[in-house]
């Protein structure tokens, strides 16, 4: 008999990939349907949300866009911290005692010196934006809840992930959309970009989903796990690879409006703890990711 899994944020980028995986996979998890619309900011909307008790919960839902967190930090904290509290309280009231996977972010580490790369879970968090503050706060809340209630709570810290279905407010999705617009004759062969000479640790969303499912099965309660590729790649190199794959000649135009404050120049994480605990390893190459993203945006641009 399959175990029941409840996932918040199912309509989002990663949530959609979880839905696809569990439908296609001979998984031991059954995704619980959502009987009614709910808002984690409205505790009353969570009443009656679980006619069937979940065996595990992946808490994905949240405000994830860093520039938006600077524009409206109060809303970001309300969604990411108080929304998590409302979820935990509703699950407690329902009698839940299964595994709770809180999806945080590698952004909680903040500024990390190059001598401390790759970033391990031993690196002290030092959040540099309201989004990261909200995620770290919700981490502590979730872990405290696990201690107080005796739930197996695990925290995931995914680094940058890319893949099909991502909003074009994120850099690789934005580049793929613009490249397809150029290819379809909808814009000049110029790509508007921000600061692309930084490195990031990119992982395909499919590998991220695999990591979440592995942590549900084998993660140690009370522990925090990085989810990352262990490789740093410059944003410029990924955009150039997109251009090469699409066979489009590009002129890159830097747009000051796309620059972010408090940006780390280099990011590279270590997923050694995750691999040691669960046996997880990345399986999707950067080239496979970029080809899929380009194909996805080709269809989306045609539909715009």
């Amino acid at each position: 008999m399959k175990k029941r899994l409840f996932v918040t944020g199912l309509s989002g980028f990663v949530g959609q990939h979880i839905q696809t995986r569990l439908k296609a996979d001979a998984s031991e998890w059954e995704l619980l349907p959502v009987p009614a619309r709910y808002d984690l900011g409205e505790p009353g909307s969570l009443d009656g949300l679980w006619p069937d008790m979940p065996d595990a919960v992946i808490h994905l839902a949240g405000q994830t866009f860093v520039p938006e967190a600077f524009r409206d930090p109060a809303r970001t904290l309300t969604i990411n911290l108080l929304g998590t509290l409302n979820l935990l309280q509703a699950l407690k009231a329902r009698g839940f005692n299964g595994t709770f996977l809180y999806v945080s972010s590698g952004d909680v580490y903040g500024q990390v010196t190059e001598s401390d790369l790759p970033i391990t879970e031993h690196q002290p968090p030092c959040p540099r934006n309201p989004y990261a503050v909200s995620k770290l706060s919700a981490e502590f809340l979730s872990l405290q809840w696990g201690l107080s209630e005796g739930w197996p709570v695990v925290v995931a810290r995914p680094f940058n992930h890319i893949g099909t279905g991502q909003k074009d407010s994120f850099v690789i999705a934005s580049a793929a959309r613009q490249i397809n617009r150029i290819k379809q004759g909808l814009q000049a062969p110029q790509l508007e970009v921000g600061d692309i000479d930084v490195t990031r640790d990119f992982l395909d969303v499919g590998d991220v989903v695999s990591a979440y499912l592995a942590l549900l099965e084998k993660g140690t309660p009370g522990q925090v796990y990085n989810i990352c590729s262990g490789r740093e790649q410059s944003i410029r190199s990924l955009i150039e690879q997109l251009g090469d794959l699409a066979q489009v000649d590009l002129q890159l135009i830097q747009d000051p409006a796309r620059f972010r404050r408090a940006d780390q120049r280099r990011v590279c994480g270590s997923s050694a703890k995750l691999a040691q605990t669960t046996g997880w390893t990345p399986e999707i190459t950067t080239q496979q990711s970029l080809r899929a993203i380009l194909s996805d945006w080709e269809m989306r641009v045609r539909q715009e």
Side-chain angles (χ1 to χ4, degrees):
M1 186 173 173
K2 290 193 173 188
K3 291 185 284 186
R4 295 184 293 270
L5 175 64
F6 182 78
V7 181
T8 68
L10 265 182
S11 62
F13 170 46
V14 181
Q16 291 178 356
H17 282 270
I18 289 178
Q19 289 189 68
T20 302
R21 174 74 62 87
L22 294 187
K23 285 176 185 173
D25 219 354
S27 170
E28 63 180 271
W29 293 102
E30 171 195 1
L31 198 58
L32 284 181
V34 180
R37 289 180 64 85
Y38 66 93
D39 180 348
L40 292 178
E42 298 292 338
S45 72
L46 305 181
D47 294 340
L49 196 55
W50 302 284
D52 296 311
M53 178 73 77
D55 296 299
V57 171
I58 300 178
H59 181 25
L60 277 176
Q63 197 300 98
T64 62
F65 192 44
V66 172
E68 174 62 23
F70 275 116
R71 280 193 294 270
D72 195 345
R75 179 174 177 271
T76 298
L77 281 160
T78 298
I79 293 170
N80 292 354
L81 177 57
L82 295 183
T84 300
L85 175 61
N86 292 336
L87 176 64
L88 291 168
Q89 289 181 319
L91 285 166
K92 178 183 176 181
R94 181 65 177 81
F96 175 77
N97 62 359
T99 301
F100 185 87
L101 176 63
Y102 180 70
V103 177
S104 181
S105 168
D107 206 27
V108 301
Y109 292 112
Q111 199 74 34
V112 178
T113 61
E114 293 189 7
S115 61
D116 286 326
L117 297 179
I119 301 166
T120 72
E121 294 83 356
H122 295 296
Q123 179 68 29
C126 186
R128 291 170 61 88
N129 59 64
Y131 163 71
V133 169
S134 73
K135 298 301 280 186
L136 184 61
S137 302
E139 277 189 25
F140 283 129
L141 177 65
S142 300
L143 291 168
Q144 171 263 306
W145 211 267
L147 292 171
S148 301
E149 301 301 325
W151 298 357
V153 172
V154 179
V155 171
R157 287 179 180 163
F159 285 55
N160 293 68
H161 32 295
I162 56 176
T164 58
Q166 193 172 33
K167 292 179 182 177
D168 69 340
S169 49
F170 294 88
V171 61
I172 301 305
S174 173
R177 176 179 179 269
Q178 292 185 72
I179 286 169
N180 272 292
R181 283 178 55 81
I182 292 166
K183 197 167 184 179
Q184 294 176 33
L186 299 173
Q187 76 177 60
Q190 295 177 333
L191 213 65
E192 291 188 352
V193 297
D195 183 358
I196 58 174
D197 292 310
V198 295
T199 68
R200 293 292 180 262
D201 186 320
F202 289 98
L203 192 62
D204 188 272
V205 64
D207 282 327
V208 175
V209 169
S210 296
Y212 293 162
L213 296 176
L215 284 173
L216 286 184
E217 294 290 345
K218 298 178 180 176
T220 304
Q223 292 295 306
V224 175
Y225 295 90
N226 288 345
I227 299 177
C228 52
S229 69
R231 296 172 55 218
E232 59 177 314
Q233 302 183 76
S234 75
I235 294 173
R236 180 183 293 275
S237 74
L238 291 187
I239 292 174
E240 289 174 346
Q241 288 179 64
L242 283 170
D244 290 343
L245 289 169
Q247 298 181 315
V248 170
D249 290 326
L250 301 172
Q251 181 184 3
L252 302 180
I253 307 294
Q254 289 197 313
D255 176 8
R258 294 173 182 259
F259 279 68
R260 290 188 184 180
R261 286 183 283 173
D263 229 357
Q264 171 93 9
R265 300 306 302 171
R266 292 179 58 198
V267 175
C268 180
S270 167
S271 58
K273 180 179 177 181
L274 173 66
Q276 185 174 11
T277 303
T278 69
W280 172 92
T281 55
E283 295 181 351
I284 302 167
T285 68
T286 301
Q287 287 276 303
Q288 289 173 317
S289 295
L290 297 181
R291 286 184 189 279
I293 292 165
L294 278 171
S295 178
D296 177 48
W297 273 108
E298 182 178 10
M299 291 185 289
R300 290 164 77 178
V301 168
R302 289 189 192 283
Q303 294 167 2
E304 288 178 350

